[in-house]
């Protein structure tokens, strides 16, 4: 009986919205889950729009109801239900065919127009194969949508040079919470442009983005070196991100790992391919429970003489103070380098840990607090590892546009810390609840010790939490919400605002 009623409601919905795309109220379970696997909120229906017009119709339809909400879902790779709409409408944005709509020359340089629901991996392969160009700023993993990362920031080893992905778009098409389709940029509707970038989906749904590109290199030399001392690791990493372009690598990241032979948390996680051997002697050379790996990469072209590449690499590495005999390197083509996490994804899917819960925690920690963070968190709370990577690397604030909605800690340099926990359903390991509790313990330790930090991909359950997160930007954020989504229809899964009746 209920099913019949649901069918009837759905039919009416479909007619009222007059969609060119489709609406599905049966196979909706996927949209009530996400990569985090910590929350479940099934929607009433999932809409697959054929374009901006459909998205506008869905929003206008929801506006007429007293309580319907609308969530754009990119690839659902959030951790805390951010792309869900409990009993609301989820718009499934993922559209591989939108990967590259157009190649454009703009005042700011070459760019591509891409759909908000395009996956970055498709943008990469199409851009390189069709134009020989590539976006400048990436995330580590590319199975994420353009709209999903632009709603947060989008960071990786290129961020020190080009800024986050939000600093590498010059124009957006957005359907706002009033159902209006608006083109915006620095020079046109700039308030909407900057609020949507890093805006956690609160002000509108990104349907198209103009992404800056540059000629793509063919090849990459990918290198890892190890440090026993955190201050030497940070000194070298900070020096690399502040040098002039020709005097540094094209990619700079790093991670902390456990000084043990554990295959996931320890030394073996540093090796770049199975042919590389690790030496048990490494372990006894440092008494520290945790060591640090600096990860860098240099772009080059197939025509470049290998001795020239070797010389450049040696010159750049020669200025660094890593532990002797801990240099690991491989050469691979540019696309394979950018798709490097896809291989890990395949393995994780095969052994069941990709689909298990991921209680991840991401933070931006200011340079002034990072040593305390190392002492309190890496060397104490996490000294046995987390069953996955513990990324830590510096980025420069000057590459971030402070007019966007992203909030950062103080200082010119701050660190991204990403605790990418994997849980193994087939092995005895701490419960997900314990891991979430450990995340809280880390945040509490940071607060108690006065560390300067902000959550990245933030998640709070109370308005007070959000107010503290945004600090003096909160009133501006609220003002933008009342302007562009006055009924608070959009992105309810972020739990920032409540739907106005
Ligand atoms: P979703 O999870 O589907 O959505 C996220 C939020 O954005 C939701 O609030 C949703 O409503 C909103 N949204 C989605 N699409 C749109 C749109 N078109 N317009 C407006 N709002 C929209 N982040 C990094 O910065 N660097 C990394 O290296 C990185 N690596 C990751 C690796 C993995 C394996 C995973 C799971 C995540 C990683 N992330 C990384 C985090 C990732 O950038 C965010 O979780 C991002 O939101 C996921 O994109 P998505 O397309 O799955 O978005």
């Amino acid at each position: 009986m209920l099913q019949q009623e649901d069918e009837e409601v759905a039919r009416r919905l479909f007619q009222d919205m007059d969609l060119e795309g489709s609406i599905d109220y049966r196979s909706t379970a996927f949209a009530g889950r996400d990569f985090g696997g910590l929350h479940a909120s099934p929607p009433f229906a999932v809409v697959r729009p054929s374009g901006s017009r459909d998205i506008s119709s869905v929003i206008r339809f929801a506006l007429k109801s007293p309580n319907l909400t609308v969530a754009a879902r990119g690839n659902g790779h959030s951790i805390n239900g951010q792309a869900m709409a409990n009993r609301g409408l989820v718009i499934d944005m993922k559209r591989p065919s939108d990967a590259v709509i157009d190649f454009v020359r703009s005042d700011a340089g070459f760019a591509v127009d891409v759909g908000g629901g395009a996956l970055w991996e498709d943008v990469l392969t199409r851009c390189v194969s069709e134009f020989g160009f590539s976006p400048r700023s990436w995330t580590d993993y590319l199975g994420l949508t353009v709209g999903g990362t632009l709603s947060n920031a989008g960071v990786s080893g290129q961020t020190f040079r080009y800024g986050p992905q939000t600093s590498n778009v010059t124009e957006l098409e957005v359907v706002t919470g009033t159902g209006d389709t608006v083109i915006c940029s620095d020079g046109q509707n700039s308030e909407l442009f900057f609020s949507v970038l890093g805006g956690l989906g609160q002000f509108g749904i990104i349907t198209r983005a103009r992404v800056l590109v540059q000629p793509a290199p063919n090849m990459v030399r990918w290198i890892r070196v190890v440090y026993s001392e955190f201050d030497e690791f940070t000194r070298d990493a900070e020096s690399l991100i502040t040098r002039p372009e020709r005097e540094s690598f094209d990619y700079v990241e790093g991670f902390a790992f456990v000084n043990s032979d554990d295959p996931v948390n320890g030394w073996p996680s540093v090796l770049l391919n199975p042919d590389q051997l690790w030496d048990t002697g490494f372990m006894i050379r440092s008494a520290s429970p945790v060591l640090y790996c600096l990860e860098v990469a240099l772009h080059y072209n197939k025509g470049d003489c290998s001795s020239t590449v070797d010389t450049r690499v040696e010159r750049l590495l020669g200025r660094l103070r890593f532990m002797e005999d801990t240099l690991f390197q491989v050469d691979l083509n540019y696309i394979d380098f950018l798709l490097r996490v896809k291989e890990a994804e395949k393995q994780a899917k095969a052994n069941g840990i990709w689909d298990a819960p991921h209680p991840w925690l991401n933070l931006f920690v200011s340079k002034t607090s990072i040593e305390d963070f190392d002492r309190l968190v890496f060397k104490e709370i996490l000294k046995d590892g987390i069953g996955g990577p513990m990324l830590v690397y510096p980025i420069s604030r000057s590459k971030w546009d402070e007019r966007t909605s992203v909030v950062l800690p103080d200082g010119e340099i701050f660190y991204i810390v990403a605790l990418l926990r994997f849980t193994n359903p087939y092995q005895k390991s701490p419960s997900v609840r314990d891991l979430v509790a450990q995340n809280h313990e880390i945040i509490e330790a940071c607060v108690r010790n006065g560390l300067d930090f902000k959550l990245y991909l933030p998640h709070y359950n109370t308005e007070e939490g959000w107010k503290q997160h945004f600090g003096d930007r909160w009133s501006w954020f609220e003002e933008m919400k009342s302007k562009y989504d006055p009924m608070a229809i959009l992105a309810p899964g972020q739990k920032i605002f409540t739907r106005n009746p």
Side-chain angles (χ1 to χ4, degrees):
M1 184 61 193
L2 188 67
Q3 192 172 322
Q4 259 182 8
E5 277 172 20
D6 276 357
E7 261 178 53
E8 188 46 39
V9 175
R11 238 194 313 275
R12 265 190 286 130
L13 275 176
F14 191 69
Q15 279 164 5
D16 282 4
M17 284 191 238
D18 186 24
L19 299 177
E20 283 171 26
S22 62
I23 183 164
D24 186 347
Y25 62 95
R26 283 190 175 161
S27 309
T28 56
F30 80 98
R33 293 191 295 261
D34 63 16
F35 185 79
L38 307 171
H39 305 266
S41 280
F44 173 69
V46 173
V47 176
R48 293 197 173 80
S50 82
S52 311
R53 185 188 158 276
D54 277 0
I55 294 174
S56 173
S57 301
V58 172
I59 292 174
R60 292 207 159 115
F61 178 85
L63 279 170
K64 285 189 258 159
S65 93
N67 51 14
L68 261 185
T69 54
V70 177
R73 184 180 199 270
N75 204 18
H77 275 47
S78 291
I79 300 300
N80 288 295
Q82 286 94 333
M84 296 180 195
N86 193 20
R87 300 295 298 158
L89 300 172
V90 165
I91 303 185
D92 184 1
M93 295 297 293
K94 204 162 78 175
R95 271 166 68 104
S97 58
D98 273 3
V100 174
I101 301 168
D102 214 354
F103 187 85
V104 278
R105 285 161 205 266
S106 74
D107 292 344
F110 295 110
V112 285
D113 277 351
V114 300
L119 289 178
W120 283 106
E121 60 192 27
D122 295 329
V123 173
L124 168 69
T125 46
R126 292 224 12 222
C127 259
V128 173
S129 66
E130 289 175 29
F131 312 114
F133 277 72
S134 158
R136 316 184 306 178
S137 181
W138 293 100
T139 46
D140 295 340
Y141 169 70
L142 306 190
L144 310 167
T145 64
V146 168
T149 69
L150 291 180
S151 298
N152 286 293
V155 293
S156 185
Q158 305 83 7
T159 307
F160 78 95
R161 177 161 300 154
Y162 300 111
Q165 292 182 317
T166 43
S167 294
N168 287 274
V169 286
T170 59
E171 186 182 288
L172 298 173
E173 181 190 86
V174 174
V175 183
T176 67
T178 51
D180 299 318
T181 303
V182 183
I183 309 278
C184 56
S185 64
D186 190 354
Q188 185 187 1
N189 299 310
S190 61
E191 201 178 57
L192 179 64
F193 181 67
F194 290 114
S195 54
V196 164
L197 292 171
L200 308 174
Q202 294 305 303
F203 312 109
I205 296 182
I206 300 168
T207 45
R208 180 180 59 76
R210 183 160 291 175
V211 180
L212 289 171
V213 292
Q214 63 188 6
N218 304 131
M219 298 292 293
V220 171
R221 171 82 49 96
W222 183 17
I223 301 163
R224 285 179 176 170
V225 292
V226 174
Y227 292 76
S228 57
E229 304 306 319
F230 190 64
D231 58 346
E232 289 183 353
F233 164 77
T234 53
R235 217 174 316 145
D236 279 356
E238 287 175 20
S239 124
L240 286 174
I241 68 154
T242 46
R243 287 185 204 166
E245 186 165 335
R246 289 290 303 164
E247 289 170 38
S248 191
F249 289 98
D250 296 299
Y251 163 103
V252 177
E253 281 205 8
F255 58 93
F257 66 97
V258 179
N259 188 11
S260 79
D261 60 358
D262 181 275
V264 176
N265 298 297
W267 269 99
S269 66
V270 173
L271 307 183
L272 286 170
N273 74 31
D275 304 335
Q276 291 170 345
L277 295 173
W278 69 277
D279 185 342
T280 42
F282 293 147
M283 275 162 54
I284 45 176
R285 271 195 270 159
S286 170
S288 173
V290 177
L291 304 175
Y292 311 93
C293 176
L294 180 67
E295 179 177 81
V296 291
L298 188 76
H299 296 167
Y300 65 95
N301 284 313
K302 277 198 177 123
D304 294 343
C305 171
S306 67
S307 63
T308 316
V309 179
D310 291 344
T311 311
R312 268 194 79 192
V313 167
E314 276 163 28
R315 196 166 45 79
L316 292 172
L317 289 177
R319 295 163 70 177
L320 308 180
R321 281 155 293 188
F322 52 91
M323 283 161 75
E324 223 181 297
D325 302 325
T326 65
L327 167 62
F328 305 94
Q329 52 184 328
V330 289
D331 290 283
L332 68 175
N333 87 43
Y334 177 67
I335 291 189
D336 289 345
F337 173 70
L338 288 176
L339 293 178
R340 64 198 177 281
V341 183
K342 213 172 170 63
E343 197 43 47
E345 175 184 359
K346 271 190 212 146
Q347 284 169 17
K349 278 190 170 154
N351 63 28
I353 63 169
W354 191 260
D355 297 318
H358 300 96
W360 286 8
L361 179 64
N362 289 273
L363 309 131
F364 293 137
V365 181
S366 96
K367 171 181 154 77
T368 52
S369 294
I370 198 67
E371 286 220 31
D372 285 339
F373 187 91
D374 172 58
R375 181 174 51 80
L376 296 164
V377 181
F378 288 135
K379 289 200 175 88
E380 274 302 321
I381 303 176
L382 302 179
K383 61 178 182 298
D384 297 322
I386 57 167
M390 303 193 283
L391 305 186
V392 53
Y393 59 91
I395 33 192
S396 307
R397 189 195 194 94
S398 60
K399 307 288 177 183
W400 294 63
D401 195 319
E402 308 257 344
R403 293 171 293 177
T404 69
S405 293
V406 187
V407 284
L408 302 173
D410 285 338
E412 168 49 24
I413 291 180
F414 60 93
Y415 281 72
I416 168 118
V417 174
L419 305 177
L420 310 180
R421 300 172 184 276
F422 281 81
T423 54
N424 191 324
Y426 309 113
Q427 279 174 10
K428 195 171 170 295
S429 51
S431 71
V432 172
R433 186 195 291 228
D434 289 345
L435 299 176
V436 171
Q438 196 179 58
N439 286 343
H440 289 304
E441 185 191 345
I442 292 169
I443 293 169
E444 275 162 24
C446 291
V447 172
R448 211 174 35 249
N449 288 279
L451 271 59
D452 181 17
F453 75 100
K454 290 286 177 192
L455 290 190
Y456 175 49
L457 312 168
H459 164 64
Y460 296 95
N461 285 319
T462 60
E463 186 175 293
E464 203 37 50
W466 284 111
K467 276 186 181 166
Q468 276 190 15
H469 173 76
F470 282 104
D472 55 15
R473 300 275 283 160
W474 173 249
S475 55
W476 173 82
F477 198 80
E478 262 191 324
E479 190 191 329
M480 293 303 104
K481 185 72 175 177
S482 60
K483 198 160 174 182
Y484 296 112
D485 181 22
M487 302 309 281
I489 280 175
L490 296 175
Q494 299 277 4
K495 299 196 170 60
I496 307 177
F497 299 100
T498 312
R499 168 77 161 95
N500 288 323

